[in-house]
Amino acid sequence: HVLQLEAGRGLLALADGLPNAAKHHVAPRLIRIFADAWAGHVCFHEQVMYPLLKRRYGDQQYERIAIFERQHADISFANDELAETLRMVEIGTVGSDALAYLLRNVAERQRDHLETEHAFFLPTIPEVLFPIERKTYLEWVASNPCPLTNEKFG
């Protein structure tokens, strides 16, 4: 979650620096880092954490997981909208005020989601990950590229 929160702070700083910040190459790079970090977050939860929680707790976690999955989809859609708005700002069809609004909206929605996820899932991780599941987690981490360097973790 640390990477997503840092990228979100970067988006908020970018929004504060508009319209001048949109003229520099940092905006597309920062949005790309933000989107890639988010994609890694969603992938990890969908491929590792949610299956483990569903196996361990069954229906007890289903509603909570369904809420987080909807939030993942909503935030991913907002990330796509943000990238498209940045392209429109670059060609002059949309003003930087629209970009600033979306930057803040996406960063704040993601931060709220991460804080909620942190409160609900972090306390359960030690009891959820049995030794064999820790192995599954480590295998997933080792086989998935780091979103920022395209290198393997581990």
Side-chain angles (χ1 to χ4, degrees), residues 54-104:
K54 286 176 183 176
R55 268 199 316 271
R56 179 82 64 247
Y57 297 110
D59 291 338
Q60 293 174 331
Q61 291 289 331
Y62 179 77
E63 283 185 35
R64 186 177 294 166
I65 291 171
I67 290 168
F68 288 129
E69 287 174 329
R70 279 193 305 275
Q71 289 176 348
H72 284 167
D74 290 345
I75 294 168
S76 294
F77 177 79
N79 288 345
D80 293 342
E81 186 177 17
L82 179 58
E84 181 60 27
T85 301
L86 177 62
R87 280 190 286 280
M88 292 189 301
V89 167
E90 289 173 340
I91 62 173
T93 59
V94 171
S96 60
D97 54 336
L99 180 60
Y101 171 80
L102 278 174
L103 286 165
R104 287 186 181 92

Side-chain angles (χ1 to χ4, degrees), residues 19-134:
N20 294 333
K23 296 177 183 167
H24 301 288
H25 294 291
V26 72
R29 289 181 183 150
L30 183 58
I31 290 170
R32 175 75 181 165
I33 289 168
F34 183 82
D36 287 350
W38 181 252
H41 168 87
V42 171
C43 184
F44 171 71
H45 281 86
E46 290 178 356
Q47 293 182 10
V48 178
M49 288 308 298
Y50 295 162
L52 290 174
L53 289 168
K54 286 176 183 176
R55 268 199 316 271
R56 179 82 64 247
Y57 297 110
D59 291 338
Q60 293 174 331
Q61 291 289 331
Y62 179 77
E63 283 185 35
R64 186 177 294 166
I65 291 171
I67 290 168
F68 288 129
E69 287 174 329
R70 279 193 305 275
Q71 289 176 348
H72 284 167
D74 290 345
I75 294 168
S76 294
F77 177 79
N79 288 345
D80 293 342
E81 186 177 17
L82 179 58
E84 181 60 27
T85 301
L86 177 62
R87 280 190 286 280
M88 292 189 301
V89 167
E90 289 173 340
I91 62 173
T93 59
V94 171
S96 60
D97 54 336
L99 180 60
Y101 171 80
L102 278 174
L103 286 165
R104 287 186 181 92
N105 181 283
V106 169
E108 290 169 1
R109 286 174 67 183
Q110 187 201 52
R111 183 196 62 226
D112 291 347
H113 167 80
L114 292 171
E115 288 174 353
T116 303
E117 213 173 54
H118 190 78
F120 281 109
F121 287 135
L122 194 62
T124 66
I125 288 175
E127 63 192 54
V128 169
L129 294 179
F130 290 150
I132 189 69
E133 292 162 335
R134 287 187 192 102

